[in-house]
């Protein structure tokens, strides 16, 4: 039985790696071949310089993803198949740790190992690739402060959450996964509520959008849409990166947050069209649907975890002498991705559908389809997004339709 379990796991793990790598390689070869051309419908709207830089950025990121993906997969295989986890468990037991203490210590060591492993990749991405293309504005000081705050926050939230999770698993009987689900849902709601007020300000500054034409236009639009909110804020995103965006923070009455980079570079019409798109996600209930879908997925995940945790051959297959809650969680977290990876295209498809709907909503609300189009072209250019994604790659991974697909759909909506 244990051999069969290992074989099924390896099969899915290698299949995931093969599919992911093949998609990346197909995409990169496609981009290397035609990436420097401006697509015909974008002639005059995108400069040749932008097209060339987009190609170079896509290639640089993609090649790095090939390397980091290969090393990351090797690392996970080594952790799972080398007896490292059972050895760690034995060490903790020898230290006299049991119950909740062992659960938390085991997962903390594992997270620390993954954190350390990922560090050089994150550094390279920020200070070499993003730097080279002029996106990085993070200084070493900001970076180190981010790491320290992230670690502090991880400990302050993760440790109590770990103890609570163990208490639910070990102390609430056969239906522990339902109890834990209820608890985690509550935590998530509280976090959504606390995040804008307590956590986000640790990393960024938020100031009210100054009075003026932009503010008046956006407020009038939010009123017209009946969009309840806690006001308009500008976030100092330029402290870390030159990428620009707009988003909401909060649950029922969210704050509308514009990146300072967006405010600087968009016309009033463009910013209004972008914001109307975001309002569309709320009014069309995408945010609510995604939240429910996420809850359903975590309920399903916890149920599967409860079955696996009660199945001793799984633990034997990965070298554990006996089942334990922390081993179950670790195996689930490290090995589960190989199975859920194949659901990714479904999630991407649903997300793209929502993006089309939000674009149509923006056309109706802001009545500035041209500005929406030019805002997307600007965003695409500023972010150096790939102008020539391979269709297989974009079908699998893209949560947004490609620039060309969106522009065509916006034109169709404006005609209708
Ligand atoms: Zn969107």
């Amino acid at each position: 039985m244990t051999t069969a379990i290992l074989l099924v796991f390896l099969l899915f793990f290698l299949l995931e790696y093969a599919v992911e790598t093949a998609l990346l390689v197909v995409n990169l070869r496609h981009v290397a071949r035609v990436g420097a051309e401006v697509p015909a419908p974008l002639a005059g709207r995108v400069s040749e310089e932008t097209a060339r830089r987009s190609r170079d950025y896509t290639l640089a990121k993609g090649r790095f993803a090939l390397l980091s993906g290969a090393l990351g997969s090797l690392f996970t295989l080594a952790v799972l198949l080398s007896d490292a986890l059972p050895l760690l468990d034995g060490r903790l037991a020898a230290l006299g740790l049991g119950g909740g203490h062992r659960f938390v210590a085991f997962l903390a060591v594992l997270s620390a190992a993954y954190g350390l492993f990922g560090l050089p990749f994150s550094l390279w991405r920020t200070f070499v690739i993003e730097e080279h293309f002029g996106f990085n504005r993070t200084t070493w000081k900001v970076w180190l402060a981010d790491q320290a705050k992230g670690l502090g926050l991880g400990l302050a939230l993760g440790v109590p959450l770990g103890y609570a999770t163990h208490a639910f698993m070990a102390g609430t009987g056969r239906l522990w996964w339902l109890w834990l689900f209820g608890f985690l849902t509550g935590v998530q709601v509280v976090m959504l509520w606390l995040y804008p007020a307590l956590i986000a300000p640790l990393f960024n500054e938020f100031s009210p959008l100054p009075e003026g034409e932009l503010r008046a236009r956006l407020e009038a639009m939010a009123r017209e849409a009946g969009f309840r909110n806690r006001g308009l804020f500008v976030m100092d995103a330029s402290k870390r990166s030159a990428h620009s965006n707009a988003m909401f923070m909060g649950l029922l009455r969210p704050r509308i947050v514009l990146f300072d980079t967006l405010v600087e570079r968009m016309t009033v019409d463009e910013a209004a069209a972008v914001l109307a798109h975001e309002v569309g996600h709320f009014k069309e209930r995408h945010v609510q649907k995604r939240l429910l879908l996420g809850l359903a997925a975590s309920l399903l995940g916890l149920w599967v975890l409860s079955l696996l945790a009660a199945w001793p051959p799984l633990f034997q297959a990965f070298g554990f002498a006996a089942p334990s809650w922390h081993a179950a969680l670790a195996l689930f977290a490290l090995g589960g991705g190989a199975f859920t990876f194949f659901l990714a295209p479904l999630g991407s498809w649903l997300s793209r559908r929502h993006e089309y709907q939000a674009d149509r909503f923006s056309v109706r609300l802001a009545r500035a389809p041209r500005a929406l189009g030019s805002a997307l072209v600007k965003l695409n250019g500023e972010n150096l997004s790939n102008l020539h994604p391979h269709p297989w790659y974009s079908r699998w991974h893209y949560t947004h339709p490609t620039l060309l697909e969106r522009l065509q759909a916006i034109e169709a909506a404006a005609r209708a």
Side-chain angles (χ1 to χ4, degrees), residues 277-278 281 290 354-355 358-359 400 406:
H277 167 100
E278 297 301 326
H281 281 312
R290 274 178 219 181
H354 287 171
E355 293 306 327
D359 278 348
H400 289 62
R406 284 181 85 174

Side-chain angles (χ1 to χ4, degrees), residues 52-64:
R52 197 170 42 71
R53 291 188 68 224
S54 297
R55 175 199 60 184
D56 294 346
Y57 185 52
T58 305
L59 290 177
K61 275 198 313 185
R63 285 171 185 150
F64 183 64

Side-chain angles (χ1 to χ4, degrees), residues 4 30 72 88 117 257 324 330 372:
H30 184 65
L88 169 64
F117 176 80
V257 177
S324 66
L372 180 59

Side-chain angles (χ1 to χ4, degrees), residues 89 117 121 166 217 232 293 305-306 343 371:
D89 200 24
F117 176 80
F121 297 102
H166 180 262
R217 171 86 202 262
L232 289 148
L293 207 64
L305 178 60
S306 77
L343 297 173

